[in-house]
Amino acid sequence: MQGQGTDTVAEPGLRDRKRARTRQAIRTAGLDLFEEQGFEGTTVDQICRRADVAHRTFFRYYECKEALLFGMDFGTAFLDAFAAAPGGLELWEAFRHAGGAVDGHLEEPAEHTVRRRELRRRFIGIRSVRDFALVMIDTFSQRAAAIAAERLDVDPLADLRPQAFAALMAGMTRRQVVNGNDMRPLEEWVEAFRGLLVAYAAPAPAAPAGAVR
């Protein structure tokens, strides 16, 4: 019985390690081929041959070859930490808490991160890559809005703050993922929004005398 128990405990661990090795093999093969022959010149079949996996195996791990250019479960760790932040924290404090939990990264820290970012910069002009990035950013920002609504305890259809928060998340993420720029500190984004809002709230200049209104 003891042996059976040990096998039962070990088996899931072995399966997880095998899955991780398979995912790693596919990702490495894809990035290598993208660097060698470009994104559009690389097919899923070629990636499968290089990784020595079946075609159907590829799609168990990645929905398309574009997904190889992004970290697994992009932004999930950040959003999970945002949702799990202590309930007493104000929204921006919860945001900072999440950023600290993932060390400011939206992608999982891995040896491939730098390669992926460089390849994204190289291929972001390709429509399928750009479209995939924009869908991913929208998914990320809308989940951020849902979490913000929960934390604020408001109806997102009646209160604009969750969607305003989502717009900020989308802008920050797009700057990094699509434009290839480094993530700027939150304080700089807040200052930029404040500058816009101050200008919006400023009284309109008086019309010149005699001007037709």
Side-chain angles (χ1 to χ4, degrees), residues 102-154:
V102 299
D103 198 24
H105 297 291
L106 292 177
E107 301 177 74
E108 83 280 7
E111 59 183 292
H112 291 106
T113 302
V114 173
R115 294 179 72 193
R116 282 195 309 264
R117 288 178 181 167
E118 180 55 39
L119 287 167
R120 283 204 300 263
R121 280 193 288 267
R122 181 175 161 189
F123 301 133
I124 199 64
I126 297 171
R127 182 170 181 172
S128 66
V129 175
R130 191 178 187 87
D131 286 350
F132 185 88
L134 294 178
V135 169
M136 189 192 63
I137 291 168
D138 185 63
T139 300
F140 170 81
S141 62
Q142 289 310 305
R143 188 183 166 209
I147 295 170
E150 260 187 59
R151 297 196 66 90
L152 293 169
D153 193 24
V154 297

Side-chain angles (χ1 to χ4, degrees), residues 7-189:
D7 290 344
T8 302
V9 171
E11 189 177 345
L14 291 172
R15 283 200 301 268
D16 289 345
R17 287 196 293 274
K18 183 178 180 181
R19 283 195 291 265
R21 285 195 298 269
T22 300
R23 183 184 289 275
Q24 176 87 345
I26 294 170
R27 183 167 50 193
T28 299
L31 298 185
D32 286 348
L33 286 166
F34 293 159
E35 289 173 344
E36 293 167 17
Q37 58 192 38
F39 182 83
E40 292 174 305
T42 298
T43 66
V44 170
D45 285 339
Q46 290 173 331
I47 295 170
C48 292
R49 285 197 295 273
R50 178 72 68 92
D52 194 24
V53 300
H55 195 265
R56 65 181 179 276
T57 301
F58 177 93
F59 290 104
R60 282 206 296 265
Y61 290 86
Y62 295 97
E63 59 184 286
C64 55
K65 68 177 184 176
E66 286 80 4
L68 292 167
L69 294 173
F70 300 86
M72 183 176 68
D73 300 325
F74 186 93
T76 298
F78 173 87
L79 292 175
D80 287 347
F82 181 44
L89 294 182
E90 185 268 335
L91 190 66
W92 294 111
E93 291 175 337
F95 176 91
R96 289 191 175 91
H97 172 90
V102 299
D103 198 24
H105 297 291
L106 292 177
E107 301 177 74
E108 83 280 7
E111 59 183 292
H112 291 106
T113 302
V114 173
R115 294 179 72 193
R116 282 195 309 264
R117 288 178 181 167
E118 180 55 39
L119 287 167
R120 283 204 300 263
R121 280 193 288 267
R122 181 175 161 189
F123 301 133
I124 199 64
I126 297 171
R127 182 170 181 172
S128 66
V129 175
R130 191 178 187 87
D131 286 350
F132 185 88
L134 294 178
V135 169
M136 189 192 63
I137 291 168
D138 185 63
T139 300
F140 170 81
S141 62
Q142 289 310 305
R143 188 183 166 209
I147 295 170
E150 260 187 59
R151 297 196 66 90
L152 293 169
D153 193 24
V154 297
D155 177 357
L157 296 177
D159 192 312
L160 288 176
R161 287 178 297 169
Q163 282 301 324
F165 181 79
L168 175 57
M169 294 297 98
M172 293 174 71
T173 309
R174 180 175 177 133
R175 177 181 170 83
Q176 183 185 52
V177 173
V178 177
N179 301 339
N181 300 114
D182 291 334
M183 186 71 82
R184 301 286 286 272
L186 174 63
E187 287 72 19
E188 292 189 26
W189 284 89

